[in-house]
Amino acid sequence: MIVSLKEMLQEADKGRYAVGAFNCLSLENVEGAIAAAEELRSPIIIQLAEVQFPCAPMNLMAPIYLEAARRASVPVVVHLDHGQSFETCAEAIRLGFGSVMFDGASLPFEENVRITREVTRMAKAMGVDVEAELGKVGDVGKDDDKADVFTDVEESARFIELTGVDALAVAIGNQHGRYVATPKLNIDRLIELHERNRMPLVLHGGSGTSVEDFKACIHNGICKINVATAIQVGITERVQQYLREAANPDYITMKGVIREASKEVVKEHILLFESNNRA
Ligand code: 13P
């Protein structure tokens, strides 16, 4: 069943667990993720990022996401991840996404506020929830900035007040992509951000985070954790193994391998995030 992001994250905040937000790039990916959530009785967020549109066009994926979410026996949020413009967020809403993220984190503060506020105003009018980002999450290997990349506590409070967002993605030493070494997250900053803001916080770049940091995040205000790379790595490894070992590999069996690999990786994360048996 489809539910709103706000509602799902408020439940997570109350129960002190996090909901996994999994980037799904194919039908098998979506099916595997939802099957994992159903098996473990967990709420789940399925999401697509704008940078992923070239391999998974939003207008083709939207009907798959929405139908799979409607049919699911657990609560599902269909979310646009890292929308890069007002127009992309509007298009996602038109296609039926129940929540959108506008990512203006690389913009100057005032510009991030201005566009996020426009997105929030439009989304609220359509009954859609909004996530935004403040601070520099960045990508593994791209050393964009040596300055303080962590989300600033006072700025976060101002940002939330000015924009009216429902969830805020924070930068606490996390990065997108395949980490070269396991990162050490700034949990002290997370605690300060959580104390200052009564608002569900989001951790991006979930893949490769240590169990210890995941637990510290969940227990200190993170209610949504984004995972993309771990699923792609899991699928690639299982497909490689299948192609190596099968006497006569075929495409239809391989689609099943992709579905199972997605399910396995999503299950692992649901258990880590303690969202099992919450649906
Ligand atoms: P990873 O690819 O590092 O898991 O990050 C996912 C993410 O944050 C998507 O927004």
Side-chain angles (χ1 to χ4, degrees), residues 3-11 19 21 45 47 76-79 98-101 128-131 166-167 200 202 224:
V3 301
S4 77
L5 181 78
K6 195 171 174 174
E7 194 185 326
M8 186 182 276
L9 297 190
Q10 276 170 354
E11 285 298 308
V19 181
I45 299 164
Q47 61 181 15
V76 183
V77 168
V78 174
H79 178 75
S99 104
V100 295
M101 174 194 190
V128 165
D129 296 331
V130 178
E131 173 185 336
D166 303 292
V202 181
K224 170 177 184 271

Side-chain angles (χ1 to χ4, degrees), residues 23 47 81-82 175-177 204-207 226-230:
N23 292 67
Q47 61 181 15
D81 186 28
H82 292 288
Q175 284 191 306
H176 295 112
H204 280 240
S207 304
N226 288 11
V227 178
T229 304

Side-chain angles (χ1 to χ4, degrees), residues 8 32 73 86 88 90 99 105 128 135 163 190 195 232 253 260 262 269 273 276:
M8 186 182 276
S73 63
F86 176 90
T88 304
S99 104
V128 165
T163 59
L190 173 62
E195 271 172 9
Q232 291 163 25
T253 310
E260 278 310 304
S262 307
H269 286 87
F273 302 161
N276 52 308

Side-chain angles (χ1 to χ4, degrees), residues 98-119:
S99 104
V100 295
M101 174 194 190
F102 170 69
D103 177 3
S106 61
L107 301 171
F109 180 82
E110 299 306 336
E111 191 63 359
N112 190 1
V113 167
R114 187 181 67 76
I115 305 175
T116 304
R117 192 145 87 181
E118 284 178 0
V119 170

